[in-house]
Amino acid sequence: MENYKTLREACEIAQVSRRAIQGYEEAGLVSASQKNKYGHLLYDAGAVQRISQIKLYQKFGYSIKEIQEIIDAPNEIRKEKLEKQLVKLKEDQKQLGTTIRVLQGIIDDLNEQLQMKKLD
């Protein structure tokens, strides 16, 4: 049983909460490999790696439903979906950059107005 990780250990390794793993299990994305003599869930290295992969896909902006559709898809389909997500994230980044510049301009204007008011 040395190669198996408890739920707590799997959470620490994958840097996810216990609830996250439970959600992944409910969605059918991952399952415990077995239980120890105390009834605690145990996860093998493949399950822990899969949990980390699910978390990564969530960081990419995928919902659990979308992850269900692509995580076990053939490489060609996953590649296509990931490329589309990359385009979307780049567009989001560009829009966010514009928003940041506008916000910074407003703050700069306010700072200028406050400086002028102090001089009066």
Side-chain angles (χ1 to χ4, degrees), residues 62-103:
Y62 289 110
S63 68
I64 291 295
K65 183 174 172 51
E66 291 169 320
I67 294 169
Q68 288 172 320
E69 295 171 4
I70 65 170
I71 196 163
D72 293 319
N75 286 343
E76 296 83 16
I77 292 172
R78 276 201 340 241
K79 178 181 177 281
E80 181 183 320
K81 299 261 186 192
L82 290 169
E83 287 173 339
K84 285 181 182 178
Q85 191 68 7
L86 180 60
V87 169
K88 181 188 178 301
L89 290 173
K90 285 181 177 181
E91 289 171 4
D92 291 351
Q93 182 183 34
K94 185 177 177 182
Q95 290 177 358
L96 186 57
T98 300
T99 302
I100 289 170
R101 284 189 295 281
V102 169
L103 179 56

Side-chain angles (χ1 to χ4, degrees), residues 10 14 30-33 42-54:
V30 71
S31 61
S33 307
L42 298 174
Y43 299 85
D44 64 20
V48 174
Q49 181 179 8
R50 188 170 173 95
I51 292 165
S52 295
Q53 184 180 19
I54 294 164

